[in-house]
Amino acid sequence: MNDAFSFSISIGIIAFGIWIAAGTIGADPHLAWMLIGLLPVIVGTISLYLAVREVKVAPRN
């Protein structure tokens, strides 16, 4: 349950960053807002990587 929650939070952070970055592309593009949108994408990707690395897979017999 905790693993699924970690994945959901990480993917939500990434989606939020993509939403900000995509919104600036469609509207009046400003480089500052684009970079602010990329920050949550980077943080979410790092969080997702750490969550995947932490998952323990059951050994096969």
Side-chain angles (χ1 to χ4, degrees), residues 19-38:
W19 178 64
I20 292 173
T24 59
I25 292 171
D28 186 22
H30 292 291
L31 182 61
W33 282 106
M34 179 74 72
L35 294 176
I36 290 173
L38 291 177

Side-chain angles (χ1 to χ4, degrees):
M1 180 67 184
N2 290 334
D3 296 334
F5 190 64
S6 296
F7 291 142
S8 299
I9 293 291
S10 300
I11 292 173
I13 292 171
I14 293 170
F16 178 70
I18 291 172
W19 178 64
I20 292 173
T24 59
I25 292 171
D28 186 22
H30 292 291
L31 182 61
W33 282 106
M34 179 74 72
L35 294 176
I36 290 173
L38 291 177
L39 182 65
V41 173
I42 293 168
V43 171
T45 303
I46 292 170
S47 175
L48 184 64
Y49 170 74
L50 293 175
V52 168
R53 197 177 76 174
E54 187 177 298
V55 172
K56 295 181 176 49
V57 179
R60 296 180 123 188
N61 291 334

